Amino acid sequence: MRGGVKVSVKAKEVPNGVWPVMLTPYTKDNEVDYIALEQLIDWYIKNGVHGLFAVCQSSDMVQLSLAERVEVARFVKEKAAGRVPVVASGHVSESFQQQLEEIKQISATGVDAFVLVTNRLAQEHEDDEVWKANAEKILAQFPDVDFGLYECPNPYHRLMSPELMKWCGETGRFGFMKECSNNIEQIKAKIKAVEGTPLKVFVANNPHVLETMQAGGAGYSGMLATFQPNLYSWLTDHWDKEPEKAELIQNYLGASCLFEGRHYHIATRYYLQLEGLDITLKARTKKASDFKVTHEREVEQYRKFNQYVTQTILN
C-alpha cells in the first residue's frame, strides 16, 4: 500500500527533457489533418524533444469529440513509433462517469500515460479530500494504467498542494506532471514533495525552466516548445554541463514567453508553415482571419532570431 492505494504496477519512468504540448492540425473542412499531424510528430522529434504530450489544451481537447481525442492519441503513439514516449489527456467531462469512459478509451490506445486534468477531480469549492477520493476510485478502476497530472487553467485553475503531490507520488502510479503555477517557490515545494517517487515535475512556464532543473525538476512541457524545441532540448540536456551558456539561453527563452499571448494558436501554425510543414492556419479556438500581416512579420522575425541563437550560441 502506498498513499492509501494498492499499487499493482509502478509507473514507468519518463525521460527528463522537453515534452511539447502538441497542436492538432485541421484541414480546410475542419477535420483533423492526419497528414500534417504526422509531419508535426516528425518535426518535434527531429528537433530533439524527449516526449510528446498529445490531446491537451494546445491540442484543442475541449473542441475535439471523444472519438477524435481517441484517434489523435492512437495516431500520435503509433507514428512516434517508440522514438519518444507519448502521454495524452482528453480529460474534459464534467460527469465522473464520462471521465471514466475518457480514461478507458484513451488509455486503451497504448499511450504511455493518461494525464488527469487536476480541475476535473473536484469542483472549485471542494477540498483535497474530495479530489483524493475521486483519484482513488480512478486508480482502483484502472490498476494497469500509468497516470500523469496537468494543472490546466480551464475551466478553473486548480493547483496541487505539495501534500497532495506527495500523496500522488507515493501511490507509485503517477510519473508525469505539467506544473502550471508560474510560481518558482511552489514549483520547488512540489519537486521536494515527490522526491523518491516516480512522479516527475515538468514546468509549463518557460522563465522558470533553468531554475526548475537546478531544483531537481525534470524539464519543460509548454507552449513555446512548438517555436523553439531545439533550444529547450539543448537547455534541458546541458544546463549542468555549460552553466554560463545555459543562463544565456534561459534569458532568451524567458523573454520569448511574450509570444504565448500573440495569437498563439495561429502563430504556431504559421511558424510551422515557415518550417516547411503542410499545415493550414485553421484552429478550432481562434480565427485565422484575426492573424494579420503584422503578426506574420513578428513570427518571421522571431524564427530568424531562433535560427541566429541556434547557429551562433549552440554551435
Side-chain angles (χ1 to χ4, degrees), residues 1-217:
M1 298 284 289
R2 291 184 188 170
V5 177
K6 183 179 180 180
V7 180
S8 57
V9 178
K10 184 178 178 181
K12 297 184 293 291
E13 183 177 3
V14 299
N16 292 359
V18 183
W19 290 67
V21 286
M22 295 186 66
L23 305 178
T24 300
Y26 302 103
T27 67
K28 293 180 180 179
D29 296 324
N30 202 31
E31 300 293 330
V32 176
D33 186 341
Y34 288 99
I35 294 174
L37 182 55
E38 184 171 4
Q39 292 178 16
L40 180 59
I41 294 164
D42 290 340
W43 182 82
Y44 282 131
I45 295 173
K46 180 184 74 174
N47 279 280
V49 305
H50 303 82
L52 296 170
F53 185 1
V55 200
C56 54
Q57 183 162 262
S58 286
S59 315
D60 300 337
M61 65 178 178
V62 175
Q63 289 75 30
L64 297 173
S65 67
L66 177 55
E68 288 175 322
R69 281 175 268 154
V70 171
E71 186 54 33
V72 167
R74 178 183 292 113
F75 186 87
V76 174
K77 177 60 179 176
E78 175 189 334
K79 296 303 179 181
R83 291 174 290 174
V84 296
V86 176
V87 301
S89 186
H91 182 210
V92 300
S93 295
E94 289 281 349
S95 160
F96 189 68
Q97 288 304 312
Q98 289 175 343
Q99 292 178 38
L100 296 178
E101 188 63 24
E102 290 167 345
I103 298 168
K104 176 184 175 182
Q105 293 195 35
I106 293 172
S107 65
T109 64
V111 294
D112 295 276
F114 182 90
V115 181
L116 298 173
V117 173
T118 56
N119 61 40
R120 298 295 78 201
L121 272 67
Q123 297 183 34
E124 192 166 5
H125 67 275
E126 293 176 323
D127 63 19
D128 282 355
E129 291 306 310
V130 173
W131 194 101
K132 190 186 298 184
N134 285 326
E136 287 178 326
K137 293 175 186 175
I138 289 170
L139 297 180
Q141 183 143 342
F142 300 98
D144 300 321
V145 173
D146 288 354
F147 288 96
L149 298 165
Y150 174 20
E151 292 178 327
C152 182
N154 293 313
Y156 81 94
H157 204 179
R158 189 180 189 101
L159 299 176
M160 299 285 286
S161 66
E163 294 76 20
L164 193 53
M165 287 283 294
K166 180 178 174 65
W167 179 88
C168 289
E170 289 180 346
T171 68
R173 299 288 303 282
F174 294 86
F176 174 94
M177 189 222 191
K178 180 180 175 183
E179 204 283 348
C180 302
S181 71
N182 200 20
N183 183 314
I184 189 60
E185 295 309 317
Q186 286 192 37
I187 294 166
K188 289 178 179 178
K190 290 171 183 174
I191 292 169
K192 185 172 179 58
V194 298
E195 285 179 354
T197 79
L199 183 52
K200 293 187 176 184
V201 177
F202 295 83
V203 68
N205 311 112
N206 56 335
H208 297 309
V209 178
L210 180 56
E211 289 176 286
T212 295
M213 301 296 290
Q214 291 168 338

Side-chain angles (χ1 to χ4, degrees), residues 275-292:
E275 287 285 304
L277 277 67
D278 186 17
I279 184 172
T280 70
L281 296 184
K282 191 169 187 61
R284 291 187 181 176
T285 52
K286 299 293 181 181
K287 295 179 180 179
S289 58
D290 292 336
F291 192 69
K292 308 301 183 184

